[in-house]
Structures are given as structure tokens and as C-alpha cells.
Amino acid sequence: MNRYVTGSMIKKLREDKKLTQAELAEKLFVSEKTVSKWETCRGYPDISILEELAKTLGVSLIELMAGDRISNTNRSFNMKRIEFYVCPICGNIITATGEAVVSCCGITLPPLEAEMPDKFHIATLTEVEDDYFVEFNHDMRKNHYISFVASVLDDRVEIQKFYPEGNAECRFPKRNIGCIYYYCNHHGLFKQTVR
């Protein structure tokens, strides 16, 4: 559910930055009374100053609007924590290895939940020299297709993008592949263990 910035969020972020209401007001060229009204939910900041408000409070505009501050607790890069985000409007594929707020085409994207493959979404992996040849027996129509497959290694992710009316097949080096993820534009994200 989308909502506007909350007064409690503004107050918490202001206090975290050790700013008084007067100091915040001065930075935004508004009155101290205006900031007080925001924080007590007797008014809202105008949309024209939201970007500057977020910058002054040290958060992204998305965090400010969502009312949730995201702090990266994943200090050690770990591919086992990989999350995939797919924009339903433009098809962008975004990955993160820690908690993130991801936005594309004006909407906040949730991380996709990977499911075990069903009988219609099974990848076939064949060893070919030092690679895995990955193929799908899946329709590749304009309105129903496999959008991408990703090979997750110990230290990286490799993504192969597919397009409607093309072939859903590719090759990935065998080195340290633990699993692959793939995305059907109708049925979502699937995860298949390789080793």
C-alpha cells in the first residue's frame, strides 16, 4: 500500500541526525511551526520539497515515502542471500545481495520469492566440455515466456536474458555453480539446484 511520508518517520530521522525542528526548518526554508505540524500529523510536507527533505534526513526518497529505513546489515557480500527484482512494466532485472529498496518505472518492487520448479518449468542442464548447456521446454510466445536465467556462483551471478519468440537456451561455465534461477513472466521465479 502506497502512503505519504509520515510525521513519525520525519521525527525519528530528524532526531537520528541530531537536528532540532528549527535546524531542519532552516535547511528546508520552512518555519519551525511547519516542521512541528508535519511531525504531529497536522500537515504534510509539500511534494516539491520531499527530495530535499529526504536528502537532509539522509535517506532515499523511497525510504522516506515507504516509512521504512533500510540499513545494510549484510556487510559481508554473500551470494546465498541474492534477491531478484523484476519490473512488471519495462522488464528490468535487478539483483541485490542484502536488504534493499528497489524502484523502477515509479513503483517499489518486492523481492521475488523463488519456488521449486513444477513440471512445466524445469531446466535441463547438460554438461558440455567445461560448461552447462541450459535449455527449457517452455513456450516463448510474446505473452508467455522465460525472461531470464541466472547462474549463481560462489562469488558472482551471471544472467542470460531471453526474448519472446527466441530460444530459451544458453551456456554457463560449470565452475562452482550451486543453483540457477529463472523467471517466467506468468508464473514467477524458480530455483533449481545444480549440485
Side-chain angles (χ1 to χ4, degrees):
M1 177 174 142
N2 290 336
R3 58 183 179 204
Y4 205 68
V5 60
T6 63
S8 58
M9 182 69 164
I10 294 171
K11 183 176 181 180
K12 167 112 177 56
L13 293 170
R14 176 183 59 77
E15 289 173 347
D16 288 350
K17 292 292 255 180
K18 300 189 181 348
L19 293 172
T20 65
Q21 287 182 344
E23 290 169 332
L24 178 59
E26 183 180 327
K27 290 176 181 293
L28 298 173
F29 303 103
V30 298
S31 71
E32 182 178 349
K33 186 180 257 187
T34 299
V35 173
S36 175
K37 285 181 182 179
W38 296 343
E39 291 184 1
T40 57
C41 298
R42 291 181 290 129
Y44 293 106
D46 188 79
I47 196 164
S48 64
I49 64 169
L50 286 184
E51 192 170 339
E52 189 60 33
L53 176 61
K55 182 178 173 184
T56 303
L57 295 174
V59 295
S60 69
L61 184 57
I62 294 168
E63 290 171 299
L64 184 65
M65 294 293 291
D68 293 318
R69 185 157 192 191
I70 303 298
S71 58
N72 184 5
T73 55
N74 181 22
R75 298 291 181 207
S76 59
F77 178 79
N78 187 341
M79 293 309 295
K80 291 179 182 174
R81 296 182 182 162
I82 193 160
E83 298 281 1
F84 290 88
Y85 302 81
V86 176
C87 179
I89 297 169
C90 72
N92 268 347
I93 304 161
I94 303 151
T95 62
T97 56
E99 191 173 7
V101 176
V102 176
S103 176
C104 189
C105 295
I107 58 172
T108 301
L109 304 176
L112 298 174
E113 292 184 31
E115 298 179 23
M116 296 301 295
D118 58 29
K119 65 181 182 179
F120 303 108
H121 296 93
I122 295 177
T124 302
L125 284 81
T126 307
E127 292 188 37
V128 178
E129 298 170 355
D130 292 332
D131 295 339
Y132 281 117
F133 178 70
V134 182
E135 62 185 330
F136 297 88
N137 184 18
H138 189 282
D139 286 333
M140 292 297 286
R141 298 186 312 257
K142 286 184 180 180
N143 62 349
H144 187 194
Y145 58 94
I146 299 291
S147 173
F148 71 87
V149 61
S151 163
V152 179
L153 290 79
D154 292 337
D155 61 350
R156 72 187 68 129
V157 61
E158 295 180 16
I159 297 175
Q160 175 67 49
K161 179 78 172 117
F162 298 132
Y163 297 95
E165 300 181 350
N167 293 328
E169 59 187 36
C170 64
R171 286 173 75 150
F172 287 119
K174 283 196 290 191
R175 63 179 188 268
N176 300 324
I177 295 178
C179 63
I180 59 170
Y181 290 84
Y182 43 95
Y183 181 76
C184 170
N185 73 323
H186 276 204
H187 299 99
L189 188 68
F190 296 92
K191 178 181 180 180
Q192 189 169 321
T193 303
V194 175
R195 56 178 173 175

